[in-house]
């Protein structure tokens, strides 16, 4: 394990194949991966994906970002409309109940205050 760690310190962007060749390991790539994971060493496939610089990929990423923003704004409006609808339904329900059971301004004799 010390040899693996030292080899990685010397060459930060070493691949599993290069690590296998350098240390003359007689094991599979998944075995090396498991050892690296046990040592709590992380890795990336590439430092920078070359296709990110292409115009079509950049345009697709921009479009995806705009769609994401659009759908977030749209979902906010939908939630707001749902809230307004809920409030209107509550108000309509209250009006219906007031028609069915009107608030009495005159009370029967036995509920009146005795002066």
């Amino acid at each position: 394990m010390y040899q693996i760690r030292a080899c990685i310190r010397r060459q930060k962007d070493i691949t599993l194949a290069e690590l296998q060749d350098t240390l003359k390991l007689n094991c599979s790539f998944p075995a090396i991966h498991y050892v690296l994971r046990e040592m709590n060493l992380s890795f990336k496939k590439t430092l920078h994906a070359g296709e990110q610089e292409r115009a079509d990929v950049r345009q697709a990423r921009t479009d995806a970002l705009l769609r994401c923003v659009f759908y977030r704004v749209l979902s906010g409006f939908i939630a707001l409309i749902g809230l307004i609808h809920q409030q209107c339904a509550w108000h309509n329900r209250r009006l219906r109940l007031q028609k069915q059971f009107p608030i009495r301004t005159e009370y029967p004799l036995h509920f009146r205050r005795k002066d």
Side-chain angles (χ1 to χ4, degrees):
M1 281 203 215
Y2 295 114
Q3 292 173 342
I4 293 174
R5 195 175 295 271
C7 189
I8 293 173
R9 278 194 186 128
R10 281 193 303 268
Q11 187 179 351
K12 300 276 185 199
D13 60 344
I14 193 167
T15 63
L16 294 178
E18 292 170 344
L19 194 61
Q20 186 182 38
D21 289 340
T22 303
L23 299 175
K24 309 221 183 325
L25 300 173
N26 193 15
C27 59
S28 64
F29 293 144
I32 299 170
H33 170 75
Y34 295 137
V35 170
L36 293 173
R37 193 170 67 185
E38 286 294 318
M39 295 170 65
N40 292 328
L41 295 174
S42 63
F43 64 95
K44 289 183 174 182
K45 283 186 177 180
T46 60
L47 292 176
H48 179 72
E51 66 268 5
Q52 288 181 1
E53 301 303 322
R54 288 190 348 224
D56 60 332
V57 174
R58 192 177 318 122
Q59 183 63 42
R61 291 178 71 194
T62 304
D63 292 345
L65 180 64
L66 289 176
R67 274 194 309 274
C68 180
V69 168
F70 172 75
Y71 285 122
R72 281 197 179 171
V73 169
L74 183 65
S75 67
F77 280 130
I78 289 172
L80 182 62
I81 290 170
L83 182 65
I84 291 170
H85 176 70
Q86 182 182 12
Q87 291 294 325
C88 289
W90 178 82
H91 182 69
N92 290 339
R93 199 173 316 125
R94 198 176 106 224
L95 289 176
R96 258 190 326 237
L97 286 174
Q98 281 179 354
K99 286 180 185 176
Q100 287 177 356
F101 307 104
I103 298 173
R104 301 178 91 181
T105 55
E106 294 183 17
Y107 293 102
L109 290 175
H110 62 281
F111 283 116
R112 289 189 184 164
R113 292 172 80 183
K114 296 179 183 177
D115 290 329

